[in-house]
Amino acid sequence: MSTIEDVKPVPVTLGGVRGGPERRTLRRDRWWASPAFTYAVLTLFVAYTAWAVFQNADYYVGVNMHRDLISPLYSPCIMGSCVPGAHGTFLVLHWWTITPAIFALSVPAAFRSTCYYYRKAYYRSFWQAPPACGVADGHARYTGETRFPLILQNLHRYAWGLALVWNVILTIDAVMAFRMPGDGGIGVSVGSLILTVNAIALWLYSLSCHACRHLCGGHVDQFSKAPIRHRLWKLVTPLNGRHMQFAWFSLFMVVLADVYVRIVAAGWIHDPKLF
Amino acid sequence: MSTTIDLAGGETLELHDFDVVVIGAGGAGLRAAVEAKQRGLRTALVCKSLLGKAHTVMAEGGAAAAMGNVWPEDNWQVHFRDTMRGGKMLNNWRMAQLHAQESPDRIYELERWGALFDRTKDGRILQRDFGGHRYARLAHVGDRTGLELIRTLQQRAVALGLEVFMECKVLRLLKDSTGQVSAAVGYWRPTGGFVAFTAKAFVLATGGVGKAWKYTSNSWESTGDGHAMALWAGADMIDMECVQFHPTGMVWPLSVRGILVTEGVRGDGGVLRNSEGRRFMFDYIPAMFAAETADTEAEADRWYDDHINNRRPPELLPRDEVARSINAEVKAGRGSPHGGVFLDIASRRSADYIRRRLPSMYHQFKELAGVDITQEPMEVGPTCHYIMGGVRVDADTAATTVPGLFAAGEVAGGMHGSNRLGGNSLSDLLVFGRRAGMAAADFAEGRVGQPGFDEAEARQVVADALAPFSREDGENPYEVHHALQETMQSLVGIIRTESELRQALDELATLEERASHVAVRGGRAYNPGWNLATDLPSMLAVSQLVTRGAIERRESRGGHTRDDYPKADPELGKVNMVQRLDERGQWVLTPEPLPQMPPELAALFDEGASTSANGAATDGKAGAATAGDGRDGQPREGQQSTQTTEEGR
Amino acid sequence: MGDVTMRIWRGDQNGGQFVDYTVPEVEGEVVLDVVHRIQAGPAPDLACRWNCKAGKCGSCSAEINGKPRLMCMTRMDQLPTEEPIVLAPMRTFPIIRDLVTDVSFNYVMARQLPPLKPRDPEPDGTYRMQQVDVERGQEFRKCIECFLCQDVCHVIRDHEENKPHYAGPRFFIRYMELESHPLDTNDRRELLRQRMGIGLCNITKCCTEVCPEGIKITDNAIIPLKERVVDGAYDPIAWLGRKILRRTKRSAREVAADAPAAYAPTSEDLGERRAVPETAGRA
Ligand SMILES: Cc1cc2nc3c(=O)[nH]c(=O)nc-3n(C[C@H](O)[C@H](O)[C@H](O)COP(=O)(O)OP(=O)(O)OC[C@H]3O[C@@H](n4cnc5c(N)ncnc54)[C@H](O)[C@@H]3O)c2cc1C
Ligand SMILES: Cc1cc2nc3c(=O)[nH]c(=O)nc-3n(C[C@H](O)[C@H](O)[C@H](O)COP(=O)(O)OP(=O)(O)OC[C@H]3O[C@@H](n4cnc5c(N)ncnc54)[C@H](O)[C@@H]3O)c2cc1C
Ligand code: SF4
Ligand code: SF4
Ligand code: FES
Ligand code: FES
């Protein structure tokens, strides 16, 4: 570990009188609209997911309906409690008897909650630190991400690594969704398309991750000496610029996929085969 | 070391002592201070705005240095010759030589201090083409080279622990009984409290004078304080009439009046039109350029693609010609609604092309003016840009004629002759900033005895500065400033005649009178009205210098154009117009011969001398003004043969 | 055209209030032009800092209708003129007068920044760097030091007590520039973590939102720096890797030992040098 004692601190004059009025903000636009919207959407999402997790039913469309569709909220489904057919092939945790979604969601939850973008979103909307630019945050003290638990945000890259494994699994799910047992063997249905788009969205979201950008090449100081990492970095950088869009898009896709599988599994509609 | 002196009336004066005090924190001042500090001297840097905000940040194009990274053929001799020719041979040859020889080292040094210049394919510093430079020679960072330069030097200065006195405006230099400059008196802008510095050597690096004119590309700080302080301290000033006006500054909207529009717009196909939509430049082709200038629009338009078989468009005539024509059009009532003419590239080039070739111009108009230059024409007119004249200095040491006083940067004269080439200023700052720092350090080390401090004189400076507060019903300083700007703009502008200049002198006398009666209200802390009131004497002194010089130089040469003497006079080309205040405070002006160039350097001008030297007549400017951005660093065909001494930015 | 009312905060350390100035509307003006007209007319002592009026020097920072912006780059026709336009000084820094604040905090942070320590040059005394090596840093060097990002950053805007240990976004980009500098041999990560408050930033991106130069402060500097700090301090695998490969960058201590001049305390600190009005605060 390096020491830093030799960098001489220069005192900062504190407590100077500030100009302007003592008011939370001078902004007159609707600065609260965006955090309020984020607040609403994230709350809805969390509420829906919580509900869906404890449903512990209607997350798999199987052979009896000539399909192989699994909700992304329940995949990988390798628990003793999984409905038959949704099981993973290689590994089954027979002792797991509560809803399998808790395991399936652990990694995405860790990934998204430590995501640099979602951090911004919930720090602004939930924690109100700050609610919007130039609007006082109103907390008495502020330590940012320097203490437990928030210091754990620094492990985001591990969550990212695990999320990639999940992405592979959800990609396999999407590929499997083109199997239509008893309905022509292989085909394209609305459900398979939704799962495919969901998988693509998840890849875009994870590959545009800031930790990914760092690990690909961001850590390099002299790009010309590391052409491959530079190329990777160049590939990831434009994706990274749209990370927010991918974050919302993939979130929306996950919910859409779950809802779709759920209504098909519940027998409300039939998954239409397109060709 | 600092002490406080009580002045009369409860007024106090903070007194600091240093070895070297540098006044001005632009490129030149910073470089000088860094040099003195590196030598281990107690050095202070004083500037009237915050550190890092000096006018140098506005420089865009680049810093000229014959590094030969793009064109190995380039060397200091070629750069030297370009500079002398650009200055119409009025330059101090030794300064031009040192500048050409030392700029590459100064640029490399910046890189060691953290500057990130654009690169060539093989990893060296990329160089770009510019008007008047025979080879692509400008080290640059996109179009914000000045910012890079100032930030690098600023960070270097901070790393060295240099003491910086920010927002501290120096008013006067004081001499002690030995006749050497020994102190400077000024005030803190944030508090209005007075402060003085004693030091063994002082370096002036206060930049330009543009704010005396109505339309200028210069920043707020360019009020010629250094010029005036040197003059008042008894220093010689040379060639103050040589002020560079750029023909295309923005005139509208109000918010951007004076801001520069790069020559690249015309080089890339932009044309000038009057209110009738006519490309009026065809009406103003002077006989001496007729042979090389297109006389039909068709031919002019072909030139952009084929320089060899067509003559160049009249829009690319020398700067004074273009500016004169714009003036004439406006006077004849064919100007644009806001007193300029139209510069139109929108109707001539695709939106894509414009955005690609002129990104910063596109951005500048879009952001500042709400004008989309791919859709609408721009309104342009001449703008005051740079002063070539300044304090007379010794080339090797930057010493002025007053012992203990050194000067570098735009405030010093001689380096650029009667016309500066684009990019030569930034490298000038580095080369002569360093030399001034070195020489000031030498001088400080060699100076015997403690510099004296004349308290009575300091008290007078303070009293003069405070006088506007005590006047009950004086004039608002802003009104005097506006009147001064009007006078200089209309009478000592780009085209001058004897009668107008004499009229200007009369008006300046009146303005001086008015300036001595301005009143300021409010407190002293950060009072802009007061600040302007203390700027007025400097601007008035500079205006006088320019006007007097302009009267005496009865010829047209480089930046100085006389309607009544439209040709260059070979005899006047051999003299500097030297001005000073004598012991009784009388203005003295004497033409003095230029330093003599040694034969081996003079020989450089023998070959291909056709486009060289004397004056507007053979100004040779209009060649390929498409100096372009050259960002690819690839030499272009015909580049060496088509020359231009046209100023870039 | 009609009139426009500017509601400008006038005051100093002893307090102040908004004062309305109504001036005729003029086409094509920016906020700074209107302030100048107010100075030339009704309020010649209205304090406002500016230099270039072209968005290049970063002097004219203020809060316009509550948003930190450059006065010279904010066009009047982009602001709603039915209501008065509110002009206040930057909130985060101590007031000097009217629209002018004491930004010496930033110069103090600049002083503590370990400068570039370049590796040895090529035999010809110069360096080789490719365009791709310098491009990342060039983005950060566009900074005009307007300090709007420092002003908007809630870490110090709303929590004065964080100032001594928080470099702020303007200097995070400078740290990133140096940390990723192709010639640099210095390691400032621990300094950043322990004393410069990289962990205090919660990446809420207000700095990026206000930067007039459009520098992607959060995405391109702060987050990459946070990741670099993770490499050095939090990532167990990276730590193990370093142990095994014995690869370390130089510590700040070693670096400091090599370049003592850079850290040598100067006789007095910059705050005093700026002659901040005495009532401005306690040390
Ligand atoms: C969506 C969500 C976001 C959460 N965000 C945070 C969080 O940002 N910070 C946190 O400590 N716990 C956070 N938690 C965890 C939980 O709220 C803790 O119980 C909390 O720290 C207790 O705060 P308090 O009631 O004492 O409030 P406070 O007095 O407001 O704060 C207590 C502590 O939290 C820190 N803090 C406040 N706001 C922030 C912020 N925006 N960023 C970093 N630190 C901050 C303060 O420095 C202080 O140390 C979050 C939980 C959820 C579900
Ligand atoms: C738009 C524009 C573009 C340009 N582009 C280029 C280019 O591409 N290439 C090129 O080579 N040149 C260019 N120039 C010219 C060049 O920028 C200037 O000539 C040069 O920056 C002058 O630098 P300086 O160090 O002499 O002074 P400045 O940078 O003007 O600094 C003057 C300093 O003196 C201080 N000062 C002044 N008066 C006082 C006082 N009374 N007390 C205390 N301090 C004082 C100021 O605070 C400031 O710090 C350009 C100029 C303009 C206007
Ligand atoms: S992203 Fe970080 S540095 Fe930027 S404003 Fe927010 S907290 Fe401050
Ligand atoms: S990073 Fe942007 S906002 Fe911050 S000081 Fe620099 S230019 Fe201003
Ligand atoms: S997933 Fe958002 S930053 Fe890593
Ligand atoms: S005055 Fe220079 S940025 Fe506004």
Side-chain angles (χ1 to χ4, degrees):
Chain A
M1 261 310 109
S2 58
T3 59
I4 53 170
E5 288 139 30
D6 300 289
V7 178
K8 164 129 173 56
V10 183
V12 178
T13 310
L14 285 184
V17 179
R18 294 176 171 205
E22 293 299 329
R23 214 178 291 168
R24 189 176 187 210
T25 184
L26 288 170
R27 281 181 70 164
R28 291 186 309 199
D29 55 345
R30 290 185 300 149
W31 56 264
W32 41 265
S34 161
F37 181 75
T38 312
Y39 186 96
V41 175
L42 282 183
T43 308
L44 277 177
F45 172 77
V46 172
Y48 174 81
T49 329
W51 174 80
V53 163
F54 290 103
Q55 276 319 98
N56 197 6
D58 295 340
Y59 56 83
Y60 182 65
V61 182
V63 190
N64 55 339
M65 293 186 180
H66 313 294
R67 290 291 185 275
D68 185 5
L69 302 175
I70 184 160
S71 156
L73 294 183
Y74 282 76
S75 177
C77 211
I78 51 170
M79 312 298 148
S81 54
C82 284
V83 295
H87 273 313
T89 335
F90 308 106
L91 174 76
V92 179
L93 306 177
H94 289 287
W95 47 267
W96 187 292
T97 51
I98 55 170
T99 171
I102 291 202
F103 175 80
L105 271 186
S106 58
V107 163
F111 183 45
R112 282 188 198 255
S113 63
T114 57
C115 161
Y116 285 100
Y117 169 66
Y118 283 111
R119 272 143 80 182
K120 171 195 167 195
Y122 62 72
Y123 287 145
R124 277 200 187 194
S125 57
F126 285 80
W127 211 248
Q128 307 252 309
C133 303
V135 180
D137 70 11
H139 293 270
R141 267 173 353 108
Y142 174 85
T143 53
E145 302 183 329
T146 56
R147 308 237 171 118
F148 184 80
L150 292 180
I151 200 165
L152 293 177
Q153 309 274 34
N154 285 308
L155 296 179
H156 177 57
R157 58 177 65 171
Y158 287 92
W160 173 77
L162 288 170
L164 290 189
V165 177
W166 255 240
N167 283 356
V168 171
I169 294 167
L170 292 180
T171 306
I172 294 173
D173 288 346
V175 171
M176 296 304 225
F178 290 94
R179 291 191 319 138
M180 313 213 160
D183 190 9
I186 288 182
V188 178
S189 73
V190 173
S192 61
L193 281 184
I194 288 181
L195 288 196
T196 306
V197 174
N198 179 49
I200 292 172
L202 288 173
W203 278 114
L204 287 173
Y205 173 56
S206 348
L207 290 179
S208 62
C209 165
H210 288 277
C212 168
R213 184 171 178 231
H214 172 75
L215 295 169
C216 282
H219 62 284
V220 176
D221 292 346
Q222 207 173 356
F223 280 141
S224 59
K225 292 275 154 65
I228 294 175
R229 281 177 288 172
H230 179 232
R231 189 151 341 136
L232 274 176
W233 185 84
K234 289 277 268 196
L235 266 166
V236 164
T237 294
L239 291 179
N240 178 261
R242 327 192 60 161
H243 189 57
M244 174 179 97
Q245 285 86 331
F246 293 143
W248 286 115
F249 178 54
S250 60
L251 195 76
F252 168 78
M253 278 313 298
V254 167
V255 173
L256 179 71
D258 182 76
V259 169
Y260 187 79
V261 171
R262 196 165 288 285
I263 55 181
V264 174
W268 293 15
I269 60 163
H270 212 77
D271 177 32
K273 188 174 174 192
L274 301 174
F275 43 84
Chain B
M1 199 178 69
S2 89
T3 47
T4 306
I5 302 177
D6 283 317
L7 304 175
E11 194 59 53
T12 58
L13 179 73
E14 214 182 300
L15 185 63
H16 300 270
D17 183 58
F18 287 95
D19 294 330
V20 176
V21 167
V22 178
I23 304 168
L30 276 163
R31 187 63 190 82
V34 163
E35 194 63 26
K37 182 75 188 175
Q38 280 174 344
R39 286 267 298 265
L41 277 90
R42 294 176 303 131
T43 308
L45 182 61
V46 188
C47 51
K48 66 178 177 179
S49 52
L50 293 173
L51 181 61
K53 311 284 181 210
H55 174 69
T56 301
V57 296
M58 296 178 77
E60 297 169 350
M67 298 185 283
N69 287 351
V70 173
W71 286 86
E73 296 88 334
D74 198 11
N75 56 40
W76 74 260
Q77 284 93 342
V78 186
H79 190 184
F80 167 75
R81 197 173 50 188
D82 290 347
T83 303
M84 292 294 295
R85 279 185 181 160
K88 309 299 173 309
M89 305 305 279
L90 203 60
N91 322 48
N92 177 322
W93 65 267
R94 177 65 181 157
M95 290 180 88
Q97 182 193 22
L98 287 170
H99 170 259
Q101 288 174 328
E102 295 181 1
S103 340
D105 284 346
R106 298 287 77 75
I107 299 290
Y108 286 128
E109 178 176 77
L110 288 183
E111 187 160 82
R112 274 200 298 284
W113 295 342
L116 292 174
F117 290 102
D118 288 351
R119 319 303 300 183
T120 62
K121 291 257 183 311
D122 63 346
R124 293 163 206 266
I125 294 174
L126 179 61
Q127 300 184 273
R128 123 186 322 167
D129 281 318
F130 233 61
H133 292 285
R134 178 161 188 151
Y135 299 110
R137 186 182 282 149
L138 270 71
H140 61 277
V141 188
D143 54 6
R144 50 165 192 84
T145 316
L147 174 63
E148 186 73 11
L149 190 133
I150 207 161
R151 203 63 83 227
T152 306
L153 290 172
Q154 169 189 353
Q155 285 159 353
R156 175 72 183 164
V158 167
L160 289 169
L162 189 76
E163 290 196 53
V164 186
F165 293 72
M166 298 185 217
E167 302 205 310
C168 178
K169 181 175 169 192
V170 179
L171 297 165
R172 282 275 185 165
L173 299 170
L174 308 183
K175 294 197 255 188
D176 65 8
S177 51
T178 63
Q180 307 177 81
V181 175
S182 60
V185 182
Y187 69 92
W188 289 109
R189 295 177 63 218
T191 59
F194 286 90
V195 57
F197 303 88
T198 51
K200 299 186 178 121
F202 287 83
V203 179
L204 277 179
T206 51
V209 305
K211 279 295 163 190
W213 278 263
K214 192 170 170 192
Y215 305 135
T216 174
S217 62
N218 289 190
S219 79
W220 157 88
E221 297 192 295
S222 301
T223 52
D225 297 355
H227 291 84
M229 286 191 282
L231 176 78
W232 295 328
D236 284 3
M237 314 295 290
I238 56 169
D239 299 334
M240 289 294 287
E241 64 282 4
C242 297
V243 176
Q244 185 171 76
F245 286 81
H246 204 285
T248 58
M250 296 167 80
V251 297
W252 182 255
L254 205 64
S255 67
V256 290
R257 206 152 222 176
I259 294 185
L260 213 65
V261 180
T262 172
E263 317 269 344
V265 177
R266 280 173 287 145
D268 284 344
V271 297
L272 292 164
R273 294 186 200 277
N274 61 19
S275 58
E276 293 159 6
R278 182 172 164 71
R279 275 179 77 174
F280 59 83
M281 282 309 297
F282 285 100
D283 307 338
Y284 294 93
I285 302 171
M288 65 187 79
F289 290 108
E292 31 190 309
T293 308
D295 47 17
T296 62
E297 295 200 15
E299 180 180 359
D301 288 348
R302 283 195 306 268
W303 175 86
Y304 294 102
D305 299 318
D306 180 3
H307 289 17
I308 311 291
N309 298 313
N310 299 286
R311 292 170 300 170
R312 60 180 176 261
E315 276 84 6
L316 299 176
L317 279 166
R319 183 180 331 108
D320 49 342
E321 301 293 346
V322 178
R324 198 202 312 273
S325 315
I326 294 176
N327 256 20
E329 284 298 304
V330 175
K331 277 198 180 143
R334 292 190 294 269
S336 67
H338 306 101
V341 293
F342 295 105
L343 173 57
D344 172 26
I345 191 167
S347 70
R348 300 182 38 93
R349 295 287 182 268
S350 75
D352 247 20
Y353 178 89
I354 298 170
R355 271 195 293 266
R356 183 162 48 79
R357 295 284 297 185
L358 303 161
S360 67
M361 279 303 115
Y362 175 74
H363 193 74
Q364 176 174 317
F365 275 87
K366 190 96 190 159
E367 289 270 311
L368 285 168
V371 169
D372 182 347
I373 64 168
T374 66
Q375 303 299 325
E376 307 166 57
M378 304 160 240
E379 281 187 69
V380 296
T383 181
C384 176
H385 188 51
Y386 185 89
I387 183 155
M388 277 71 67
V391 186
R392 183 192 233 180
V393 290
D394 173 66
D396 292 75
T397 62
T400 67
T401 49
V402 182
L405 186 62
F406 300 78
E410 195 168 338
V411 68
M415 161 69 207
H416 303 287
S418 62
N419 178 39
R420 176 183 67 94
L421 294 188
N424 268 359
S425 172
L426 290 184
S427 37
D428 162 19
L429 307 180
L430 297 170
V431 169
F432 294 104
R434 168 171 163 278
R435 285 188 160 267
M438 281 191 328
D442 287 343
F443 186 89
E445 283 169 349
R447 182 162 173 173
V448 283
Q450 196 53 32
F453 181 64
D454 186 338
E455 226 179 283
E457 234 184 306
R459 205 165 272 148
Q460 190 55 47
V461 175
V462 171
D464 287 349
L466 289 177
F469 283 108
S470 56
R471 299 187 192 116
E472 285 297 303
D473 47 0
E475 210 178 341
N476 183 337
Y478 288 94
E479 274 157 31
V480 180
H481 185 210
H482 288 165
L484 170 67
Q485 290 181 318
E486 288 295 347
T487 301
M488 293 307 282
Q489 189 72 34
S490 57
L491 301 177
V492 199
I494 178 154
I495 288 134
R496 303 158 176 178
T497 61
E498 177 118 13
S499 56
E500 287 186 347
L501 290 169
R502 299 235 171 248
Q503 188 192 340
L505 266 193
D506 292 343
E507 290 189 12
L508 286 173
T510 324
L511 284 167
E512 206 156 344
E513 176 65 17
R514 281 170 69 184
S516 63
H517 290 109
V518 293
V520 172
R521 56 187 167 92
R524 271 153 61 177
Y526 228 104
N527 186 326
W530 183 37
N531 190 55
L532 182 60
T534 62
D535 283 342
L536 284 175
S538 312
M539 285 190 275
L540 282 162
V542 168
S543 304
Q544 292 230 22
L545 286 166
V546 173
T547 312
R548 286 171 194 277
I551 292 175
E552 290 308 313
R553 192 171 282 285
R554 293 186 176 81
E555 63 163 349
S556 292
R557 180 177 298 273
H560 172 65
T561 307
R562 286 282 297 261
D563 223 10
D564 39 359
Y565 300 94
K567 294 232 172 67
D569 176 342
E571 287 312 307
L572 286 171
K574 293 179 191 153
V575 295
N576 290 131
M577 293 296 163
V578 182
Q579 302 191 59
R580 68 177 76 86
L581 289 177
D582 69 11
E583 303 76 47
R584 287 164 300 128
Q586 297 299 310
W587 295 85
V588 182
L589 189 151
T590 42
E592 291 182 22
L594 291 170
Q596 210 49 51
M597 201 188 298
E600 66 274 18
L601 289 180
L604 289 172
F605 297 89
D606 292 345
E607 10 128 11
S610 64
T611 59
S612 79
N614 298 327
T618 49
D619 195 304
K621 286 174 181 176
T626 40
D629 63 6
R631 285 202 62 168
D632 48 3
Q634 296 310 312
R636 282 193 305 272
E637 242 173 15
Q639 182 182 357
Q640 280 144 295
S641 56
T642 48
Q643 281 305 300
T644 163
T645 53
E646 177 87 57
E647 181 60 21
R649 298 177 167 200
Chain C
M1 299 187 93
D3 283 349
V4 56
T5 301
M6 306 295 282
R7 177 164 293 170
I8 303 180
W9 195 83
R10 302 290 313 263
D12 51 26
Q13 317 94 47
N14 303 315
Q17 72 287 317
F18 281 112
V19 179
D20 284 2
Y21 298 96
T22 303
V23 291
E25 217 171 321
V26 174
E27 195 192 336
E29 283 195 319
V30 292
V31 170
L32 188 59
D33 291 308
V34 181
V35 170
H36 283 166
R37 280 201 284 136
I38 293 170
Q39 285 179 331
D45 63 337
L46 168 61
C48 136
R49 191 183 266 141
W50 70 285
N51 270 17
C52 68
K53 218 165 91 50
K56 292 193 172 154
C57 72
S59 301
C60 61
S61 310
E63 301 193 0
I64 303 170
N65 284 344
K67 284 192 197 157
R69 304 180 71 158
L70 294 178
M71 286 187 274
C72 71
M73 295 298 278
T74 307
R75 286 177 29 227
M76 290 296 288
D77 56 16
Q78 292 169 337
L79 299 170
T81 47
E82 310 83 60
E83 286 180 81
I85 291 165
V86 178
L87 216 53
M90 286 196 283
R91 180 82 185 129
T92 303
F93 309 117
I95 187 76
I96 291 178
R97 209 162 71 76
D98 302 343
L99 299 175
V100 180
T101 54
D102 167 16
V103 293
S104 53
F105 164 75
N106 302 291
Y107 291 96
V108 170
M109 287 304 151
R111 289 235 141 175
Q112 301 178 61
L113 211 146
L116 179 77
K117 178 142 199 322
R119 59 172 152 83
D120 293 335
E122 304 292 319
D124 66 358
T126 68
Y127 291 101
R128 298 288 178 280
M129 291 183 264
Q130 294 299 319
Q131 189 64 29
V132 292
D133 299 331
V134 299
E135 259 163 11
R136 231 180 341 172
Q138 284 183 336
E139 178 187 6
F140 308 132
R141 291 188 71 86
K142 285 194 306 195
C143 170
I144 56 172
E145 300 208 323
C146 62
F147 305 130
L148 288 171
C149 55
Q150 305 282 81
D151 174 47
V152 81
C153 181
H154 71 115
V155 177
I156 47 177
R157 185 185 178 94
D158 302 332
H159 304 274
E160 175 89 6
E161 71 281 3
N162 282 332
K163 276 185 183 169
H165 48 258
Y166 190 64
R170 189 293 167 240
F171 295 100
F172 291 148
I173 65 173
R174 171 79 173 134
Y175 276 99
M176 182 57 188
E177 174 208 324
L178 290 171
E179 282 296 286
S180 64
H181 196 295
L183 302 181
D184 186 52
T185 57
N186 228 339
D187 183 357
R188 303 164 188 78
R189 289 177 298 176
E190 272 308 283
L191 181 68
L192 268 170
R193 190 174 75 90
Q194 293 181 31
R195 290 240 307 272
M196 292 301 148
I198 188 78
L200 284 172
C201 162
N202 67 351
I203 49 164
T204 36
K205 285 203 178 174
C206 286
C207 48
T208 307
E209 263 178 48
V210 301
C211 179
E213 285 295 299
I215 301 171
K216 299 240 167 30
I217 303 174
T218 322
D219 285 356
N220 289 349
I222 298 181
I223 293 176
L225 271 183
K226 279 185 176 249
E227 287 293 324
R228 281 167 183 249
V229 167
V230 172
D231 286 344
Y234 297 114
D235 185 339
I237 295 180
W239 175 81
L240 209 67
R242 272 197 308 277
K243 282 280 159 217
I244 294 165
L245 298 170
R246 293 176 184 286
R247 274 221 311 243
T248 47
K249 279 180 118 189
R250 291 154 46 82
S251 72
R253 176 190 281 273
E254 292 167 296
V255 166
D258 276 4
Y263 308 108
T266 49
S267 54
E268 282 149 287
D269 97 77
L270 222 77
E272 282 166 66
R273 283 283 172 250
R274 290 255 0 275
V276 177
E278 253 146 52
T279 41
R282 59 197 146 77

